[in-house]
Amino acid sequence: VVEVGNGVDATLVGKKVAFSQNPHSKDYEGTWRQFISVHHKAVMTYPDTANYDHICSSFVNPVTVCGFLDICQKNGVKAVIQDAAASALGKMFNRICKDHNITVINIVRKEEQVTVLNALGATHILNSSTESFWNDLEQLIAILQPTYYFSAIGGGDLPGKVLVKMPAKSTCYVYGALGGDFFHYKPGNFIFKMSTVTFFWLGVWLETLTKEERVKWFSLIVSDISSGGKYFDTTLGK
């Protein structure tokens, strides 16, 4: 931080920070630049010893994972489904759910991704490319009764087919668009299964938090990444 505005804590000057910028802000130009002006609420303060290579990935995946956990905790959800489960975000979500008593059904599409999640300690992993996938999914849903589904695929056939097999009043949170432009779901399923399809965008979620909640989640991320990344460790590519 090189400068702060009126009313902002002056001790922030000189601190190492991670930050995000709302794409809908009037001065949005993207964050890939030498200097940027952001709201102080969008800043995480790190210790001076923090490694920039690690703190640069503090937003998007870690904050999104905290958002998922926050939604689950506020709604008393104990079992969820996630697709693209071998992604960096999917791994983080598995790690943090283990410590918060939330069971995750993980959907991947390659056998090597099953191996990756097994090594991570994930319990329920299904490969959507196998012939037994839908039968295996139905059996797990019957036992675990997941009511929330976090989808990075977002479009195409898979999310709708998964949602219709979930219990009545289940919700699919779309946070990615890997599967194409359209979410395929029959109108009758919305009506008679009382299903909900909604979105998750971390910028919008952050605006719903109280100051105390924002401090809690940011502090968790800073503490975790600064101490080696039990939850939010990310493999860095070169």
Side-chain angles (χ1 to χ4, degrees), residues 60-61 64 68 81-85 87 89-90 93 149-154 172-178 198-202:
V60 184
N61 287 344
T64 301
F68 292 174
I81 297 174
Q82 69 163 340
D83 57 34
S87 66
L89 186 151
F93 191 49
Y149 171 22
F150 296 101
S151 178
I153 293 175
C172 177
Y173 284 87
V174 175
Y175 71 95
L178 300 177
T198 186
F199 71 96
F200 180 89
W201 186 9
L202 69 88

Side-chain angles (χ1 to χ4, degrees), residues 95-159:
R95 295 187 194 112
I96 205 166
C97 282
K98 286 178 68 175
D99 280 358
H100 291 84
N101 298 314
I102 297 173
T103 302
V104 183
I105 299 174
N106 296 281
I107 298 175
V108 297
R109 60 189 179 92
K110 297 179 181 179
E111 199 58 34
E112 53 263 39
Q113 294 170 332
V114 174
T115 303
V116 167
L117 290 182
N118 270 322
L120 194 69
T123 305
H124 306 291
I125 312 162
L126 299 177
N127 182 350
S128 63
S129 299
T130 63
E131 291 184 3
S132 64
F133 169 70
W134 291 109
N135 182 61
D136 295 341
L137 180 63
E138 286 181 356
Q139 291 185 29
L140 275 181
I141 288 174
I143 296 168
L144 300 173
Q145 295 291 295
T147 53
Y148 280 17
Y149 171 22
F150 296 101
S151 178
I153 293 175
D157 293 327
L158 182 70

Side-chain angles (χ1 to χ4, degrees), residues 71-86:
I71 289 169
C72 291
Q73 290 180 329
K74 287 178 176 176
N75 292 281
V77 174
K78 295 300 182 183
V80 302
I81 297 174
Q82 69 163 340
D83 57 34

Side-chain angles (χ1 to χ4, degrees), residues 25-47:
S25 59
K26 62 180 180 180
D27 58 343
Y28 180 75
E29 296 178 5
T31 56
W32 190 249
R33 42 194 166 129
Q34 187 174 5
F35 296 99
I36 186 171
S37 175
V38 296
H39 197 283
H40 67 91
K41 292 195 297 184
V43 171
M44 294 183 196
T45 306
Y46 274 86

Side-chain angles (χ1 to χ4, degrees), residues 146-214:
T147 53
Y148 280 17
Y149 171 22
F150 296 101
S151 178
I153 293 175
D157 293 327
L158 182 70
K161 287 183 177 180
V162 172
L163 182 59
V164 78
K165 294 182 180 298
M166 295 172 68
K169 300 183 180 179
S170 291
T171 299
C172 177
Y173 284 87
V174 175
Y175 71 95
L178 300 177
D181 296 332
F182 299 100
F183 189 103
H184 297 166
Y185 203 62
K186 294 180 180 179
N189 293 332
F190 285 114
I191 299 167
F192 301 113
K193 292 213 68 174
M194 296 167 281
S195 304
T196 301
V197 178
T198 186
F199 71 96
F200 180 89
W201 186 9
L202 69 88
V204 175
W205 171 71
L206 285 172
E207 290 298 319
T208 70
L209 300 180
T210 65
K211 178 181 178 181
E212 291 74 21
E213 288 174 328
R214 187 180 297 106

Side-chain angles (χ1 to χ4, degrees), residues 7-23:
V8 178
D9 182 5
T11 63
L12 281 173
V13 174
K15 296 290 187 181
K16 283 186 177 181
V17 298
F19 60 87
S20 68
Q21 187 186 35
N22 185 346

